Short mmCIF file of all heavy atoms in Angstrom, two decimals:
data_model
loop_
_atom_site.label_atom_id
_atom_site.label_comp_id
_atom_site.label_asym_id
_atom_site.label_seq_id
_atom_site.Cartn_x
_atom_site.Cartn_y
_atom_site.Cartn_z
N MET A 1 51.15 -12.11 75.31
CA MET A 1 50.27 -13.15 75.80
C MET A 1 49.51 -13.74 74.61
O MET A 1 49.00 -13.00 73.78
CB MET A 1 49.29 -12.54 76.81
CG MET A 1 48.29 -13.51 77.34
SD MET A 1 47.09 -12.84 78.52
CE MET A 1 48.02 -11.80 79.57
N ASP A 2 49.45 -15.05 74.55
CA ASP A 2 48.76 -15.66 73.41
C ASP A 2 47.23 -15.56 73.59
O ASP A 2 46.73 -15.33 74.69
CB ASP A 2 49.21 -17.10 73.17
CG ASP A 2 48.78 -18.07 74.26
OD1 ASP A 2 48.08 -17.65 75.20
OD2 ASP A 2 49.14 -19.25 74.16
N ALA A 3 46.52 -15.71 72.48
CA ALA A 3 45.06 -15.51 72.47
C ALA A 3 44.35 -16.49 73.38
O ALA A 3 43.36 -16.13 74.05
CB ALA A 3 44.54 -15.63 71.04
N GLU A 4 44.79 -17.72 73.44
CA GLU A 4 44.14 -18.74 74.27
C GLU A 4 44.22 -18.38 75.76
O GLU A 4 43.24 -18.48 76.50
CB GLU A 4 44.76 -20.11 74.02
CG GLU A 4 44.05 -21.24 74.72
CD GLU A 4 42.59 -21.38 74.30
OE1 GLU A 4 42.27 -21.11 73.13
OE2 GLU A 4 41.77 -21.75 75.17
N LYS A 5 45.40 -17.93 76.19
CA LYS A 5 45.56 -17.54 77.59
C LYS A 5 44.71 -16.32 77.92
O LYS A 5 44.10 -16.24 78.98
CB LYS A 5 47.03 -17.25 77.88
CG LYS A 5 47.31 -16.96 79.33
CD LYS A 5 48.79 -16.85 79.61
CE LYS A 5 49.04 -16.62 81.08
NZ LYS A 5 50.46 -16.55 81.40
N GLN A 6 44.64 -15.38 76.98
CA GLN A 6 43.82 -14.19 77.18
C GLN A 6 42.35 -14.56 77.31
O GLN A 6 41.65 -14.03 78.18
CB GLN A 6 44.04 -13.23 76.01
CG GLN A 6 43.40 -11.88 76.21
CD GLN A 6 43.75 -10.92 75.09
OE1 GLN A 6 44.43 -11.28 74.14
NE2 GLN A 6 43.30 -9.70 75.22
N ARG A 7 41.87 -15.47 76.48
CA ARG A 7 40.47 -15.93 76.58
C ARG A 7 40.19 -16.60 77.91
O ARG A 7 39.14 -16.42 78.51
CB ARG A 7 40.13 -16.86 75.43
CG ARG A 7 39.75 -16.14 74.15
CD ARG A 7 39.13 -17.09 73.14
NE ARG A 7 40.08 -18.08 72.65
CZ ARG A 7 40.90 -17.90 71.65
NH1 ARG A 7 40.90 -16.76 71.01
NH2 ARG A 7 41.73 -18.84 71.27
N ALA A 8 41.13 -17.41 78.38
CA ALA A 8 40.95 -18.10 79.66
C ALA A 8 40.84 -17.11 80.82
O ALA A 8 39.99 -17.27 81.70
CB ALA A 8 42.11 -19.06 79.89
N ILE A 9 41.67 -16.09 80.80
CA ILE A 9 41.62 -15.07 81.86
C ILE A 9 40.31 -14.30 81.79
O ILE A 9 39.65 -14.06 82.81
CB ILE A 9 42.83 -14.12 81.75
CG1 ILE A 9 44.11 -14.89 82.09
CG2 ILE A 9 42.67 -12.91 82.66
CD1 ILE A 9 45.39 -14.13 81.79
N ALA A 10 39.89 -13.91 80.60
CA ALA A 10 38.64 -13.18 80.43
C ALA A 10 37.45 -14.02 80.87
O ALA A 10 36.50 -13.52 81.49
CB ALA A 10 38.47 -12.75 78.98
N SER A 11 37.49 -15.30 80.59
CA SER A 11 36.41 -16.20 80.98
C SER A 11 36.28 -16.26 82.49
O SER A 11 35.16 -16.25 83.03
CB SER A 11 36.68 -17.60 80.42
OG SER A 11 35.70 -18.50 80.87
N LYS A 12 37.39 -16.30 83.20
CA LYS A 12 37.35 -16.32 84.66
C LYS A 12 36.69 -15.05 85.20
O LYS A 12 35.94 -15.10 86.16
CB LYS A 12 38.75 -16.47 85.23
CG LYS A 12 39.32 -17.85 85.06
CD LYS A 12 40.72 -17.95 85.63
CE LYS A 12 41.30 -19.33 85.37
NZ LYS A 12 42.65 -19.46 85.91
N GLY A 13 36.99 -13.93 84.58
CA GLY A 13 36.37 -12.67 85.00
C GLY A 13 34.87 -12.70 84.81
O GLY A 13 34.10 -12.29 85.68
N GLY A 14 34.42 -13.21 83.69
CA GLY A 14 32.98 -13.30 83.43
C GLY A 14 32.29 -14.26 84.36
O GLY A 14 31.17 -14.03 84.81
N GLN A 15 32.95 -15.36 84.70
CA GLN A 15 32.36 -16.35 85.59
C GLN A 15 32.24 -15.84 87.02
O GLN A 15 31.42 -16.34 87.79
CB GLN A 15 33.18 -17.64 85.56
CG GLN A 15 33.09 -18.37 84.24
CD GLN A 15 34.12 -19.48 84.11
OE1 GLN A 15 34.88 -19.73 85.03
NE2 GLN A 15 34.13 -20.14 82.97
N SER A 16 33.04 -14.85 87.39
CA SER A 16 33.00 -14.33 88.75
C SER A 16 31.78 -13.43 88.99
O SER A 16 31.45 -13.13 90.13
CB SER A 16 34.28 -13.55 89.07
OG SER A 16 34.32 -12.35 88.33
N VAL A 17 31.09 -13.03 87.93
CA VAL A 17 29.91 -12.19 88.04
C VAL A 17 28.68 -13.09 88.18
O VAL A 17 28.50 -14.01 87.40
CB VAL A 17 29.77 -11.28 86.78
CG1 VAL A 17 28.52 -10.44 86.86
CG2 VAL A 17 30.99 -10.42 86.62
N PRO A 18 27.83 -12.82 89.16
CA PRO A 18 26.62 -13.65 89.31
C PRO A 18 25.74 -13.58 88.07
O PRO A 18 25.69 -12.56 87.38
CB PRO A 18 25.89 -13.02 90.50
CG PRO A 18 26.85 -12.11 91.15
CD PRO A 18 27.91 -11.77 90.17
N ASN A 19 25.05 -14.66 87.76
CA ASN A 19 24.22 -14.73 86.55
C ASN A 19 23.23 -13.58 86.46
O ASN A 19 23.00 -13.04 85.38
CB ASN A 19 23.46 -16.06 86.50
CG ASN A 19 24.35 -17.20 86.10
OD1 ASN A 19 25.39 -17.00 85.49
ND2 ASN A 19 23.96 -18.41 86.45
N GLU A 20 22.62 -13.20 87.58
CA GLU A 20 21.59 -12.15 87.53
C GLU A 20 22.17 -10.78 87.21
O GLU A 20 21.45 -9.86 86.86
CB GLU A 20 20.79 -12.10 88.83
CG GLU A 20 21.58 -11.71 90.06
CD GLU A 20 22.24 -12.88 90.77
OE1 GLU A 20 22.21 -14.00 90.26
OE2 GLU A 20 22.81 -12.64 91.86
N LYS A 21 23.49 -10.63 87.31
CA LYS A 21 24.12 -9.34 86.99
C LYS A 21 25.02 -9.42 85.77
O LYS A 21 25.72 -8.48 85.44
CB LYS A 21 24.93 -8.86 88.19
CG LYS A 21 24.06 -8.50 89.37
CD LYS A 21 24.88 -7.89 90.46
CE LYS A 21 23.98 -7.48 91.61
NZ LYS A 21 24.71 -6.84 92.67
N ARG A 22 25.01 -10.54 85.08
CA ARG A 22 25.96 -10.75 84.00
C ARG A 22 25.66 -9.95 82.74
O ARG A 22 26.54 -9.52 82.03
CB ARG A 22 26.02 -12.24 83.65
CG ARG A 22 27.19 -12.57 82.77
CD ARG A 22 27.43 -14.01 82.69
NE ARG A 22 27.96 -14.50 83.96
CZ ARG A 22 28.27 -15.74 84.19
NH1 ARG A 22 28.09 -16.64 83.28
NH2 ARG A 22 28.76 -16.09 85.36
N SER A 23 24.38 -9.74 82.44
CA SER A 23 24.06 -9.10 81.18
C SER A 23 22.97 -8.05 81.36
O SER A 23 21.91 -8.34 81.88
CB SER A 23 23.60 -10.14 80.16
OG SER A 23 23.15 -9.51 79.00
N PHE A 24 23.26 -6.84 80.90
CA PHE A 24 22.25 -5.80 80.98
C PHE A 24 21.03 -6.13 80.11
O PHE A 24 19.94 -5.67 80.39
CB PHE A 24 22.83 -4.45 80.54
CG PHE A 24 23.76 -3.85 81.55
CD1 PHE A 24 24.84 -3.11 81.13
CD2 PHE A 24 23.57 -3.99 82.90
CE1 PHE A 24 25.71 -2.52 82.04
CE2 PHE A 24 24.42 -3.42 83.82
CZ PHE A 24 25.49 -2.68 83.39
N SER A 25 21.23 -6.92 79.08
CA SER A 25 20.09 -7.25 78.22
C SER A 25 19.07 -8.11 78.95
O SER A 25 17.91 -8.15 78.58
CB SER A 25 20.57 -7.96 76.95
OG SER A 25 21.14 -9.21 77.27
N GLN A 26 19.48 -8.79 80.00
CA GLN A 26 18.57 -9.61 80.77
C GLN A 26 17.87 -8.82 81.87
O GLN A 26 16.87 -9.27 82.42
CB GLN A 26 19.31 -10.80 81.40
CG GLN A 26 19.87 -11.74 80.37
CD GLN A 26 20.74 -12.82 81.00
OE1 GLN A 26 20.86 -12.91 82.22
NE2 GLN A 26 21.35 -13.64 80.18
N ASN A 27 18.40 -7.66 82.22
CA ASN A 27 17.86 -6.91 83.34
C ASN A 27 17.89 -5.41 82.99
O ASN A 27 18.88 -4.73 83.24
CB ASN A 27 18.68 -7.19 84.59
CG ASN A 27 18.07 -6.59 85.84
OD1 ASN A 27 17.32 -5.62 85.78
ND2 ASN A 27 18.41 -7.15 86.99
N ARG A 28 16.77 -4.94 82.46
CA ARG A 28 16.70 -3.54 82.02
C ARG A 28 16.87 -2.55 83.17
O ARG A 28 17.46 -1.50 83.01
CB ARG A 28 15.39 -3.29 81.28
CG ARG A 28 15.32 -4.00 79.94
CD ARG A 28 13.99 -3.75 79.27
NE ARG A 28 13.78 -2.34 79.01
CZ ARG A 28 14.02 -1.74 77.85
NH1 ARG A 28 14.49 -2.45 76.85
NH2 ARG A 28 13.81 -0.46 77.71
N SER A 29 16.35 -2.88 84.35
CA SER A 29 16.47 -1.94 85.47
C SER A 29 17.93 -1.82 85.92
O SER A 29 18.37 -0.74 86.31
CB SER A 29 15.57 -2.36 86.63
OG SER A 29 15.95 -3.60 87.15
N LEU A 30 18.67 -2.91 85.87
CA LEU A 30 20.10 -2.87 86.20
C LEU A 30 20.85 -2.01 85.18
O LEU A 30 21.70 -1.20 85.55
CB LEU A 30 20.68 -4.28 86.23
CG LEU A 30 22.13 -4.42 86.62
CD1 LEU A 30 22.34 -3.96 88.06
CD2 LEU A 30 22.57 -5.87 86.47
N ALA A 31 20.50 -2.14 83.91
CA ALA A 31 21.13 -1.33 82.86
C ALA A 31 20.81 0.15 83.07
O ALA A 31 21.69 1.01 82.94
CB ALA A 31 20.67 -1.80 81.49
N ALA A 32 19.55 0.44 83.39
CA ALA A 32 19.15 1.84 83.61
C ALA A 32 19.89 2.44 84.80
O ALA A 32 20.34 3.58 84.75
CB ALA A 32 17.64 1.91 83.82
N GLU A 33 20.02 1.65 85.87
CA GLU A 33 20.74 2.12 87.05
C GLU A 33 22.20 2.43 86.72
O GLU A 33 22.74 3.46 87.12
CB GLU A 33 20.65 1.07 88.15
CG GLU A 33 21.34 1.48 89.44
CD GLU A 33 21.28 0.36 90.48
OE1 GLU A 33 20.50 -0.58 90.32
OE2 GLU A 33 22.04 0.47 91.46
N ALA A 34 22.83 1.54 85.98
CA ALA A 34 24.23 1.76 85.59
C ALA A 34 24.35 2.99 84.71
O ALA A 34 25.30 3.78 84.85
CB ALA A 34 24.76 0.53 84.86
N GLY A 35 23.41 3.20 83.79
CA GLY A 35 23.43 4.37 82.94
C GLY A 35 23.28 5.66 83.72
O GLY A 35 23.96 6.66 83.45
N ARG A 36 22.40 5.64 84.71
CA ARG A 36 22.24 6.83 85.55
C ARG A 36 23.52 7.13 86.31
O ARG A 36 23.94 8.29 86.40
CB ARG A 36 21.08 6.63 86.54
CG ARG A 36 19.72 6.94 85.96
CD ARG A 36 18.65 7.01 87.04
NE ARG A 36 18.45 5.71 87.66
CZ ARG A 36 17.69 4.73 87.16
NH1 ARG A 36 17.08 4.92 86.02
NH2 ARG A 36 17.54 3.60 87.79
N LYS A 37 24.15 6.10 86.88
CA LYS A 37 25.40 6.31 87.61
C LYS A 37 26.46 6.90 86.68
O LYS A 37 27.20 7.81 87.07
CB LYS A 37 25.91 5.00 88.19
CG LYS A 37 25.15 4.54 89.41
CD LYS A 37 25.75 3.25 89.94
CE LYS A 37 25.00 2.72 91.13
NZ LYS A 37 25.59 1.45 91.60
N GLY A 38 26.56 6.37 85.48
CA GLY A 38 27.54 6.88 84.53
C GLY A 38 27.25 8.32 84.15
O GLY A 38 28.16 9.15 84.07
N GLY A 39 25.99 8.62 83.93
CA GLY A 39 25.60 9.98 83.57
C GLY A 39 25.89 10.98 84.66
O GLY A 39 26.25 12.13 84.40
N GLN A 40 25.76 10.57 85.90
CA GLN A 40 26.02 11.46 87.02
C GLN A 40 27.50 11.80 87.14
O GLN A 40 27.86 12.82 87.72
CB GLN A 40 25.52 10.84 88.32
CG GLN A 40 24.00 10.78 88.40
CD GLN A 40 23.51 9.91 89.54
OE1 GLN A 40 24.28 9.25 90.21
NE2 GLN A 40 22.21 9.91 89.75
N ASN A 41 28.36 10.96 86.60
CA ASN A 41 29.79 11.20 86.68
C ASN A 41 30.32 12.07 85.55
O ASN A 41 31.51 12.35 85.49
CB ASN A 41 30.56 9.86 86.69
CG ASN A 41 30.37 9.12 87.98
OD1 ASN A 41 30.32 9.74 89.04
ND2 ASN A 41 30.26 7.82 87.91
N VAL A 42 29.45 12.50 84.65
CA VAL A 42 29.83 13.34 83.52
C VAL A 42 29.44 14.77 83.83
O VAL A 42 28.33 15.03 84.29
CB VAL A 42 29.14 12.84 82.22
CG1 VAL A 42 29.48 13.76 81.06
CG2 VAL A 42 29.53 11.42 81.93
N SER A 43 30.34 15.70 83.57
CA SER A 43 30.03 17.11 83.83
C SER A 43 28.86 17.58 82.97
O SER A 43 28.60 17.03 81.90
CB SER A 43 31.27 17.97 83.57
OG SER A 43 31.62 17.91 82.21
N ASP A 44 28.15 18.58 83.45
CA ASP A 44 26.96 19.08 82.74
C ASP A 44 27.24 19.47 81.30
O ASP A 44 26.47 19.17 80.40
CB ASP A 44 26.35 20.28 83.47
CG ASP A 44 25.66 19.88 84.76
OD1 ASP A 44 25.33 18.69 84.92
OD2 ASP A 44 25.45 20.76 85.62
N GLU A 45 28.37 20.11 81.05
CA GLU A 45 28.66 20.57 79.68
C GLU A 45 28.98 19.42 78.74
O GLU A 45 28.89 19.56 77.53
CB GLU A 45 29.77 21.61 79.66
CG GLU A 45 31.12 21.13 80.13
CD GLU A 45 31.33 21.29 81.64
OE1 GLU A 45 30.38 21.66 82.36
OE2 GLU A 45 32.46 21.04 82.09
N ASN A 46 29.33 18.26 79.27
CA ASN A 46 29.64 17.10 78.44
C ASN A 46 28.57 16.01 78.51
O ASN A 46 28.76 14.92 77.97
CB ASN A 46 30.97 16.49 78.86
CG ASN A 46 32.13 17.41 78.58
OD1 ASN A 46 32.10 18.19 77.64
ND2 ASN A 46 33.15 17.35 79.39
N ARG A 47 27.46 16.28 79.17
CA ARG A 47 26.49 15.24 79.47
C ARG A 47 25.73 14.73 78.26
O ARG A 47 25.44 13.55 78.15
CB ARG A 47 25.50 15.73 80.52
CG ARG A 47 24.59 14.63 80.98
CD ARG A 47 23.96 14.93 82.28
NE ARG A 47 24.98 14.81 83.31
CZ ARG A 47 24.83 15.21 84.54
NH1 ARG A 47 23.71 15.75 84.91
NH2 ARG A 47 25.79 15.09 85.41
N SER A 48 25.37 15.57 77.33
CA SER A 48 24.48 15.13 76.26
C SER A 48 25.08 15.37 74.89
O SER A 48 25.38 16.49 74.50
CB SER A 48 23.15 15.88 76.36
OG SER A 48 22.33 15.53 75.28
N PHE A 49 25.24 14.28 74.13
CA PHE A 49 25.72 14.41 72.77
C PHE A 49 24.72 15.15 71.90
O PHE A 49 25.10 15.76 70.91
CB PHE A 49 26.00 13.04 72.17
CG PHE A 49 27.23 12.37 72.73
CD1 PHE A 49 27.29 11.00 72.82
CD2 PHE A 49 28.32 13.10 73.15
CE1 PHE A 49 28.42 10.36 73.32
CE2 PHE A 49 29.46 12.48 73.65
CZ PHE A 49 29.50 11.11 73.74
N SER A 50 23.45 15.12 72.27
CA SER A 50 22.46 15.81 71.46
C SER A 50 22.64 17.32 71.52
O SER A 50 22.22 18.04 70.63
CB SER A 50 21.05 15.45 71.91
OG SER A 50 20.81 15.88 73.23
N ARG A 51 23.30 17.81 72.55
CA ARG A 51 23.55 19.25 72.68
C ARG A 51 24.85 19.66 72.02
O ARG A 51 25.08 20.84 71.80
CB ARG A 51 23.62 19.63 74.16
CG ARG A 51 22.32 19.49 74.88
CD ARG A 51 22.46 20.01 76.28
NE ARG A 51 21.49 19.33 77.13
CZ ARG A 51 21.62 19.17 78.42
NH1 ARG A 51 22.67 19.62 79.04
NH2 ARG A 51 20.70 18.55 79.10
N ASN A 52 25.73 18.69 71.76
CA ASN A 52 27.05 19.04 71.24
C ASN A 52 27.46 18.02 70.18
O ASN A 52 28.04 16.99 70.49
CB ASN A 52 28.06 19.06 72.40
CG ASN A 52 29.41 19.59 71.99
OD1 ASN A 52 29.78 19.52 70.82
ND2 ASN A 52 30.16 20.10 72.95
N ARG A 53 27.15 18.33 68.93
CA ARG A 53 27.43 17.39 67.84
C ARG A 53 28.92 17.14 67.65
O ARG A 53 29.33 16.05 67.29
CB ARG A 53 26.80 17.90 66.54
CG ARG A 53 25.28 17.86 66.57
CD ARG A 53 24.67 18.30 65.26
NE ARG A 53 25.07 17.51 64.13
CZ ARG A 53 24.50 16.38 63.75
NH1 ARG A 53 23.50 15.90 64.46
NH2 ARG A 53 24.91 15.72 62.70
N ASP A 54 29.74 18.17 67.90
CA ASP A 54 31.19 17.98 67.77
C ASP A 54 31.71 16.98 68.79
O ASP A 54 32.56 16.15 68.49
CB ASP A 54 31.93 19.31 67.93
CG ASP A 54 31.68 20.26 66.77
OD1 ASP A 54 31.38 19.77 65.65
OD2 ASP A 54 31.78 21.48 66.97
N LEU A 55 31.18 17.05 70.01
CA LEU A 55 31.57 16.11 71.05
C LEU A 55 31.15 14.69 70.67
O LEU A 55 31.91 13.74 70.86
CB LEU A 55 30.94 16.51 72.39
CG LEU A 55 31.34 15.69 73.60
CD1 LEU A 55 32.83 15.84 73.88
CD2 LEU A 55 30.53 16.13 74.81
N ALA A 56 29.95 14.55 70.11
CA ALA A 56 29.47 13.24 69.68
C ALA A 56 30.36 12.68 68.57
O ALA A 56 30.71 11.50 68.57
CB ALA A 56 28.02 13.34 69.21
N ALA A 57 30.72 13.52 67.62
CA ALA A 57 31.58 13.08 66.53
C ALA A 57 32.95 12.66 67.04
O ALA A 57 33.51 11.65 66.62
CB ALA A 57 31.72 14.19 65.49
N GLN A 58 33.47 13.43 67.98
CA GLN A 58 34.77 13.10 68.57
C GLN A 58 34.72 11.75 69.28
O GLN A 58 35.61 10.92 69.14
CB GLN A 58 35.17 14.20 69.54
CG GLN A 58 36.51 14.00 70.20
CD GLN A 58 36.82 15.12 71.19
OE1 GLN A 58 35.97 15.95 71.51
NE2 GLN A 58 38.03 15.13 71.70
N ALA A 59 33.66 11.50 70.03
CA ALA A 59 33.51 10.23 70.73
C ALA A 59 33.37 9.08 69.74
O ALA A 59 33.94 8.00 69.94
CB ALA A 59 32.29 10.28 71.65
N GLY A 60 32.64 9.30 68.67
CA GLY A 60 32.50 8.26 67.65
C GLY A 60 33.82 7.92 67.00
O GLY A 60 34.12 6.75 66.75
N ARG A 61 34.63 8.94 66.73
CA ARG A 61 35.94 8.68 66.15
C ARG A 61 36.81 7.88 67.11
O ARG A 61 37.49 6.93 66.73
CB ARG A 61 36.64 9.99 65.78
CG ARG A 61 36.16 10.58 64.47
CD ARG A 61 37.04 11.73 64.02
NE ARG A 61 37.01 12.85 64.94
CZ ARG A 61 36.07 13.79 64.94
NH1 ARG A 61 35.07 13.74 64.09
NH2 ARG A 61 36.12 14.78 65.80
N LYS A 62 36.78 8.25 68.40
CA LYS A 62 37.57 7.51 69.39
C LYS A 62 37.13 6.05 69.45
O LYS A 62 37.95 5.16 69.53
CB LYS A 62 37.40 8.14 70.78
CG LYS A 62 38.23 9.35 71.02
CD LYS A 62 38.06 9.79 72.46
CE LYS A 62 38.90 10.98 72.80
NZ LYS A 62 38.72 11.39 74.19
N GLY A 63 35.83 5.83 69.44
CA GLY A 63 35.33 4.46 69.48
C GLY A 63 35.74 3.67 68.26
O GLY A 63 36.14 2.51 68.36
N GLY A 64 35.68 4.28 67.11
CA GLY A 64 36.10 3.61 65.89
C GLY A 64 37.58 3.28 65.89
O GLY A 64 37.99 2.21 65.46
N GLN A 65 38.37 4.20 66.39
CA GLN A 65 39.81 3.95 66.45
C GLN A 65 40.12 2.83 67.43
O GLN A 65 40.99 2.00 67.19
CB GLN A 65 40.55 5.23 66.85
CG GLN A 65 40.53 6.27 65.77
CD GLN A 65 41.04 7.61 66.24
OE1 GLN A 65 41.25 7.83 67.43
NE2 GLN A 65 41.22 8.53 65.31
N ALA A 66 39.40 2.79 68.53
CA ALA A 66 39.65 1.75 69.53
C ALA A 66 39.24 0.38 69.01
O ALA A 66 39.93 -0.61 69.22
CB ALA A 66 38.89 2.07 70.82
N SER A 67 38.11 0.30 68.32
CA SER A 67 37.62 -1.01 67.88
C SER A 67 38.26 -1.49 66.59
O SER A 67 38.27 -2.67 66.31
CB SER A 67 36.11 -0.98 67.73
OG SER A 67 35.73 -0.09 66.70
N HIS A 68 38.81 -0.58 65.81
CA HIS A 68 39.39 -0.96 64.52
C HIS A 68 40.86 -0.58 64.41
O HIS A 68 41.42 -0.58 63.32
CB HIS A 68 38.62 -0.30 63.37
CG HIS A 68 37.18 -0.62 63.37
ND1 HIS A 68 36.70 -1.89 63.19
CD2 HIS A 68 36.09 0.16 63.56
CE1 HIS A 68 35.38 -1.87 63.24
NE2 HIS A 68 35.00 -0.64 63.47
N GLY A 69 41.46 -0.21 65.50
CA GLY A 69 42.88 0.14 65.47
C GLY A 69 43.19 1.40 64.70
O GLY A 69 44.31 1.62 64.27
N GLY A 70 42.20 2.26 64.51
CA GLY A 70 42.41 3.51 63.81
C GLY A 70 42.54 3.37 62.31
O GLY A 70 42.91 4.30 61.61
N LYS A 71 42.24 2.20 61.76
CA LYS A 71 42.36 1.98 60.32
C LYS A 71 41.11 2.45 59.62
O LYS A 71 40.01 2.33 60.13
CB LYS A 71 42.58 0.50 60.03
CG LYS A 71 43.86 -0.04 60.60
CD LYS A 71 43.99 -1.51 60.29
CE LYS A 71 45.26 -2.07 60.88
NZ LYS A 71 45.38 -3.50 60.65
N SER A 72 41.27 2.95 58.42
CA SER A 72 40.13 3.34 57.61
C SER A 72 39.48 2.11 57.03
O SER A 72 40.05 1.03 57.00
CB SER A 72 40.56 4.29 56.50
OG SER A 72 41.35 3.59 55.56
N ARG A 73 38.26 2.27 56.55
CA ARG A 73 37.54 1.14 55.93
C ARG A 73 38.31 0.56 54.76
O ARG A 73 38.39 -0.66 54.58
CB ARG A 73 36.16 1.62 55.49
CG ARG A 73 35.31 0.52 54.92
CD ARG A 73 33.94 0.99 54.60
NE ARG A 73 33.25 1.25 55.87
CZ ARG A 73 32.04 1.71 55.97
NH1 ARG A 73 31.35 1.99 54.92
NH2 ARG A 73 31.49 1.93 57.15
N GLU A 74 38.92 1.43 53.96
CA GLU A 74 39.66 0.97 52.79
C GLU A 74 40.86 0.12 53.18
O GLU A 74 41.12 -0.92 52.61
CB GLU A 74 40.12 2.15 51.91
CG GLU A 74 38.99 2.91 51.24
CD GLU A 74 38.32 3.89 52.19
OE1 GLU A 74 38.97 4.38 53.15
OE2 GLU A 74 37.14 4.19 51.99
N SER A 75 41.62 0.57 54.20
CA SER A 75 42.81 -0.18 54.58
C SER A 75 42.45 -1.51 55.23
O SER A 75 43.19 -2.47 55.11
CB SER A 75 43.70 0.64 55.50
OG SER A 75 43.07 0.90 56.74
N ARG A 76 41.30 -1.58 55.91
CA ARG A 76 40.88 -2.85 56.50
C ARG A 76 40.49 -3.85 55.44
O ARG A 76 40.76 -5.05 55.56
CB ARG A 76 39.69 -2.64 57.46
CG ARG A 76 40.07 -2.03 58.77
CD ARG A 76 38.94 -2.14 59.77
NE ARG A 76 37.66 -1.69 59.29
CZ ARG A 76 37.18 -0.46 59.38
NH1 ARG A 76 37.92 0.48 59.92
NH2 ARG A 76 35.99 -0.16 58.92
N SER A 77 39.89 -3.39 54.37
CA SER A 77 39.44 -4.30 53.32
C SER A 77 40.61 -4.83 52.47
O SER A 77 40.51 -5.85 51.84
CB SER A 77 38.41 -3.63 52.40
OG SER A 77 39.01 -2.56 51.72
N GLN A 78 41.74 -4.12 52.50
CA GLN A 78 42.89 -4.54 51.73
C GLN A 78 43.77 -5.53 52.47
O GLN A 78 44.67 -6.11 51.90
CB GLN A 78 43.73 -3.32 51.35
CG GLN A 78 43.00 -2.39 50.41
CD GLN A 78 43.78 -1.12 50.17
OE1 GLN A 78 44.85 -0.93 50.72
NE2 GLN A 78 43.25 -0.24 49.34
N VAL A 79 43.52 -5.72 53.77
CA VAL A 79 44.36 -6.60 54.59
C VAL A 79 44.07 -8.04 54.32
O VAL A 79 43.12 -8.51 53.90
CB VAL A 79 44.17 -6.29 56.09
CG1 VAL A 79 44.93 -7.27 56.94
CG2 VAL A 79 44.61 -4.89 56.37
#
């Protein structure tokens, strides 16, 4: 799928959300509610990164791989 078509589809998804619910930055109570719901779905042993540094590091690595395609900083700068 080309980038333009992907943007058009994503835009439709964003437009389907009412303005008052579109951004957590505009509504702190909505963000807090969503965070509580998410936290309740996590098992007690995995709930807090502050209790488990290895789990936090693992999550950070996963996030970095997802957002950067698993490339190191050096390989990204050489592209």
Side-chain angles (χ1 to χ4, degrees):
M1 178 181 318
D2 69 3
E4 186 60 34
K5 185 173 183 178
Q6 189 174 3
R7 277 193 294 274
I9 292 170
S11 176
K12 287 180 183 180
Q15 291 168 2
S16 70
V17 178
N19 284 339
E20 65 272 6
K21 293 187 177 182
R22 193 167 289 180
S23 174
F24 287 146
S25 65
Q26 295 173 5
N27 188 337
R28 291 179 61 97
S29 63
L30 183 64
E33 181 183 345
R36 276 192 294 278
K37 284 182 182 179
Q40 290 168 353
N41 289 323
V42 177
S43 64
D44 288 341
E45 63 271 7
N46 293 329
R47 187 160 288 169
S48 176
F49 287 149
S50 64
R51 293 185 207 155
N52 188 335
R53 292 182 59 85
D54 291 334
L55 184 63
Q58 181 182 8
R61 280 190 296 277
K62 280 185 178 180
Q65 290 170 351
S67 64
H68 303 296
K71 297 179 181 177
S72 68
R73 183 175 291 178
E74 293 80 27
S75 65
R76 284 193 310 270
S77 65
Q78 294 174 359
V79 175

